[in-house]
Amino acid sequence: MKVLKNAKIAALILIAAAIFCVWAGKRIAEKLPPRVENVDSLTVPKSGAKDVDLSLIEKHLPFGIPDGTTADINNPNSYLLVSEHFAISYNRSRSTPNWAAWRLTRADMGKLRREDSYRPDDRLPNGWNPVFPGDFSGSGFTRGHLCPNSDRDATTEGMASTFLMTNMVPQTYDLNAGPWLKLEEHLRNLARRGNTIYVVAGAYGETKKIRGKISVPTNIWKVALIFPDGQPPANVNGKTKVIAVDMPNISGIKANNWKDYRISVRDLERRTGNDFFPLIPREIQEILEVRIK
Ligand code: MN
């Protein structure tokens, strides 16, 4: 009798525990935002899409595309351009990139002399009115690289590709030569020390249009995930080092430190409308996207 009674109690406890687990699981699921699976859309080329080399997407964006960017000509304001050197989300209405994404390692950097070979991007579909190098002149804004030439100066082709006008956003000189440059140099120093860095950099907002064509962003942002000692992206976890900044595109900030502009990835997601790293398990995103360091 006693054995039977104990078995009954054990069964009741198990049932109660099971009910609790289902309830708790539902509560957790309710609190998590829906998962965005943008990369999946790339595996199904849409009409008009150029062929996309998915291995290049995996190289530069192993954690997923942060918005609805596709290689679909009918998606002109989030149009994917990708090469071995970096990926671009181009915005035809803004005539600027939404963002650029690239993997940075020691091997990407060399000693080539900078050659300012600014030129229009002939990968854009016919009739898209590409930006020409002279379009910025007289505007008071510099042609600001999203993917910097110094991150790609191991090869002539790599460096030249950073001078495509699809990689440029109008930046104030003080931002471009100030805190923005300091963060670029910080990341290159980390890469020289053997870190692998996944960078996404972009722009949002609009103060005006140059020549009625090129949007001048209010803000320029960057997020980076940093992996030591050749660790692969699959090693991402709650302790992965993360840097996110949001910088105003204004004058008078040249002397400022990049660290003055540090924010959480989550705050940057709110400001840009992007979901960074959609392929990282949601519970890990919840940890590393709310950390400032
Ligand atoms: Mn995210």
Side-chain angles (χ1 to χ4, degrees), residues 160-281:
S161 72
T162 69
F163 285 91
L164 289 167
M165 293 306 292
T166 47
N167 184 39
M168 302 296 159
V169 291
Q171 279 189 27
T172 65
Y173 171 78
D174 285 355
L175 173 60
N176 201 358
W180 187 254
L181 174 63
K182 289 169 197 165
L183 176 54
E184 289 178 348
E185 286 172 343
H186 176 69
L187 295 176
R188 283 193 287 273
N189 283 334
L190 289 175
R192 278 187 201 102
R193 281 184 245 139
N195 293 285
T196 303
I197 309 178
Y198 295 91
V199 191
V200 189
Y204 70 89
E206 182 179 289
T207 54
K208 61 178 244 181
K209 274 186 185 283
I210 297 170
R211 295 172 195 265
K213 177 179 176 185
I214 306 163
S215 295
V216 176
T218 58
N219 288 72
I220 301 186
W221 52 265
K222 181 172 278 183
V223 292
L225 289 183
I226 297 147
F227 293 80
D229 309 321
Q231 283 182 27
N235 282 21
V236 69
N237 62 66
K239 290 179 180 162
T240 298
K241 194 173 176 199
V242 57
I243 291 175
V245 296
D246 185 20
M247 298 184 182
N249 193 21
I250 58 175
S251 296
I253 57 171
K254 183 161 183 273
N256 291 6
N257 195 301
W258 68 267
K259 290 178 181 170
D260 298 347
Y261 301 101
R262 233 172 154 168
I263 58 169
S264 70
V265 174
R266 189 51 45 87
D267 280 340
L268 191 60
E269 288 184 331
R270 288 197 193 99
R271 295 180 196 184
T272 60
N274 293 340
D275 174 17
F276 296 105
F277 320 131
L279 299 183
I280 294 178

Side-chain angles (χ1 to χ4, degrees), residues 4 10 50 53 85 114 120 124 143 152 162 204 216 228 236 248 251 285:
L4 195 63
K50 288 186 198 170
D53 183 340
H85 307 296
R114 173 174 170 144
L124 291 179
R143 294 169 291 196
R152 286 291 176 265
T162 69
Y204 70 89
V216 176
V236 69
S251 296
Q285 288 188 53

Side-chain angles (χ1 to χ4, degrees), residues 7 21 26 32 56 81 102-104 111 119 124 131 157 161 173 175 185 202 215 219 244 274 282 291:
C21 284
K26 271 190 184 157
L32 296 178
L56 294 178
L81 296 164
W102 65 102
R103 184 187 71 187
L104 175 62
K111 292 195 168 97
R119 62 195 187 285
L124 291 179
V131 174
E157 188 200 91
S161 72
Y173 171 78
L175 173 60
E185 286 172 343
S215 295
N219 288 72
N274 293 340
R282 192 55 68 178
R291 275 186 4 233

